[in-house]
Amino acid sequence: MTRALPVRRPPVSRSPTRRAFVAGAALVTMLPFAARATPDDLAAAIRQLVGDATIDTGRVKLDLPPLIENGNTVPLTVSVDSPMTEADHVTSIHVFNEKNPQPYVFEARLTPRNGRAVVGTRIKLADTQKIVAIAQTSDGRFWSASADVIVTIAACIEDVN
Amino acid sequence: MANVLINAPKTAKKGSTIEIKALILHPMETGFRPGTNGRIIPRNIIEDFSATWNGVEIFRMKMSPAIAANPFVSFFTVASESGAIRFLWTGDEGLRVEESVVVAVT
């Protein structure tokens, strides 16, 4: 015998003034980012790098925490599956972002002397967004990987000193 | 003078791949943040980092304001011959910092 239990709902009463305040507060916190990059800027920056070449997914691994408490310092490692020989090696690794003020993060130049195509650093993230890593191999092809991350405290909003 | 921290093995076997970590104390001011007076704090970042081993460039990184303060970089290299690895950071406001470590390859 089953009977639907009565669901108790809390009374919903949001006054328009409170709503306006929340919207206003959200707007104020957004203001310093008036000049932030957009997904279009990300696409344009990538297009500028690769030109008309196609970008294949795979070979590149992008390691960074999926949930970031502090966007000011985010550890990031890009590793590319490559033998790093004279005939087949990674020549450069590029990292882009979607919503920081600029779409570029860094560009690393590699040679067969590196032995392993792994680069680690720490970056800033202004918002919950997508990160894209692109590696160019010695045969001229481009490989990419992307990661979506959630940022709870954004970087570079105001001077904290 | 800027403070630099380098982590590299003192000795390495010939042909082995070693990891090198380099950190420099630097604010990496983005140029996008307003300060306490409401004015934008001027940009002051490191733009370029490079490592050369006995004169041969083994690694180079072009940085943007999106690199965290006190830029940390780690990379790998094949130990081919004993010698000095020279690190060079250059950036805004005429910044130029050099540091070198010696690795003995056996």
Side-chain angles (χ1 to χ4, degrees), chain B residues 1-99:
Chain B
M1 208 58 221
N3 272 315
V4 171
L5 207 62
I6 308 277
N7 186 332
K10 284 193 171 61
T11 59
K13 257 186 139 162
K14 195 172 172 70
S16 64
T17 304
I18 57 174
E19 186 176 21
I20 293 165
K21 296 173 186 168
L23 185 129
I24 181 168
L25 289 188
H26 192 277
M28 289 299 275
E29 190 54 62
T30 61
F32 296 107
R33 302 190 307 161
T36 42
N37 62 357
R39 292 231 186 91
I40 296 285
I41 306 166
R43 192 185 95 152
N44 177 20
I45 68 160
I46 288 173
E47 288 175 318
D48 195 86
F49 165 75
S50 68
T52 50
W53 192 331
N54 286 348
V56 180
E57 184 174 292
I58 53 171
F59 183 80
R60 179 174 283 267
M61 187 191 251
K62 272 164 83 178
M63 296 183 175
S64 76
I67 296 292
N70 305 329
F72 164 85
V73 179
S74 75
F75 61 94
F76 287 85
T77 191
V78 175
S80 55
E81 54 186 319
S82 295
I85 309 177
R86 216 185 56 137
F87 302 89
L88 175 67
W89 290 263
T90 56
D92 292 341
E93 297 178 12
L95 179 109
R96 187 184 165 88
V97 179
E98 278 187 55
E99 178 76 18

Side-chain angles (χ1 to χ4, degrees), chain A residues 34-113:
Chain A
R36 96 168 46 188
T38 62
D40 291 343
D41 292 337
L42 171 71
I46 292 173
R47 205 32 71 193
Q48 201 183 354
L49 166 70
V50 303
D52 296 328
T54 54
I55 306 166
D56 299 307
T57 49
R59 287 186 75 172
V60 182
K61 201 164 145 252
L62 180 57
D63 268 331
L64 75 170
L67 177 67
I68 292 152
E69 277 185 28
N70 185 349
N72 280 301
T73 311
V74 183
L76 170 144
T77 308
V78 183
S79 36
V80 188
D81 179 22
S82 165
M84 292 306 273
T85 58
E86 204 58 56
D88 180 9
H89 61 270
V90 176
T91 56
S92 61
I93 292 174
H94 305 254
V95 173
F96 298 95
N97 71 78
E98 200 175 21
K99 287 180 182 168
N100 281 7
Q102 288 178 328
Y104 317 98
V105 180
F106 72 80
E107 171 192 341
R109 299 238 151 235
L110 305 178
T111 65
R113 270 294 292 268

